[in-house]
Amino acid sequence: TTVESFLNEWVESKDNEGTKDRYRLVVENFLQSLGKKSNALISNITYRDVQRFIKSRQEAGLASKTVLVDSKALNTAFTLAKRLGHTQHNPVDKALAAKPLKAKSSEKETFSPEQVSTLLNAAEGEWATLILMGYYTGARLSDCTKMRWRDVDLSAQTLAYKIQKKGGEDHLIPLHPHLEAHLMSLASQDKPEEYIMPAMATLGPGGRHGLSEGFKRIMRRAGLDLQTVKGGGKRNISRRTFHSLRHSFTSELANAGVPEEQRMKLTGHSSKGIHRGYTHHELITLSKALTRLPNIPGPAT
């Protein structure tokens, strides 16, 4: 049995469509890392092949947790192959034993689409808009709250905003259809100079009444774990914050097979002025990439 045929059959044996899609992407990436060896017998796959795959995922900029989940999925497949007698060894076991993978405690955790839906159901007022903005643009909290109606071009299906962390650098992103529908439902409030979320625009992130604490309260109402861990000193930190929506944005795109270059363009360019190089074709390509993000069930309108 070749590794390609076995892994593809293993994926198709899954009943849950979400699991099947997730495992299919893992298999596609693994086979791609194998190159011509994807046609080899499954018994010929070595732990070094697995290590190369892990390295390729790390170099693609994926979070440690995502790489770990990918590896565990492969481990499940090779465990089954060994049990069925297709191979006498599990190369994933050996690769992970040689160099264990761990998600760093300081990393921001992500939200699943279902958890984002739970957040929306627990949100009140402008918070629903803010959460959708964070999830569907990957923008930072401070950038989301400062977006104005003049930044939205519904005819071109784009959103332009300034990345404050980069000194106010202009950034252009296509609108995800679900976010576009939500903004259209608010269009009666459309005045170019007004903030899309005027109440949020007046609040800072810190303090008891700041946006960061407000998001934590929504998480608690939603019954979601803040995943609080001990920081570098005495202070405890939450691994789940509003910024986790940005991580969710990039992780979902990566898991959906969107190339790293496109993910970088969507989350923010690495050099000033490069956004001016967008062509209509590039915007279409990025729009297609964004449609890989799921429509979140909940009060989008």
Side-chain angles (χ1 to χ4, degrees), residues 84-129:
L84 294 176
H86 296 306
T87 180
Q88 294 183 352
H89 67 285
N90 182 342
V92 185
D93 261 348
K94 187 172 181 180
L96 294 177
K99 193 172 183 180
L101 286 173
K102 292 183 179 179
K104 296 179 182 178
S105 60
S106 60
E107 285 184 351
K108 292 299 180 188
E109 278 289 344
T110 59
F111 294 109
S112 69
E114 293 77 17
Q115 289 170 334
V116 177
S117 178
T118 303
L119 286 171
L120 288 172
N121 288 324
E124 297 176 350
E126 293 176 0
W127 270 109
T129 302

Side-chain angles (χ1 to χ4, degrees), residues 163-171 268-277:
I163 302 177
Q164 296 179 46
K165 193 172 182 179
K166 292 188 175 183
E169 178 181 324
D170 292 330
H171 184 52
H269 295 124
S270 58
S271 62
K272 289 188 175 181
I274 196 170
H275 66 281
R276 300 188 186 96

Side-chain angles (χ1 to χ4, degrees), residues 62-63 66 110 246-256 263 293:
L62 271 69
T66 302
T110 59
R246 179 173 170 85
H247 286 255
S248 304
F249 175 81
T250 54
S251 294
E252 284 288 342
L253 291 174
N255 291 339
R263 300 199 309 270
L293 292 173

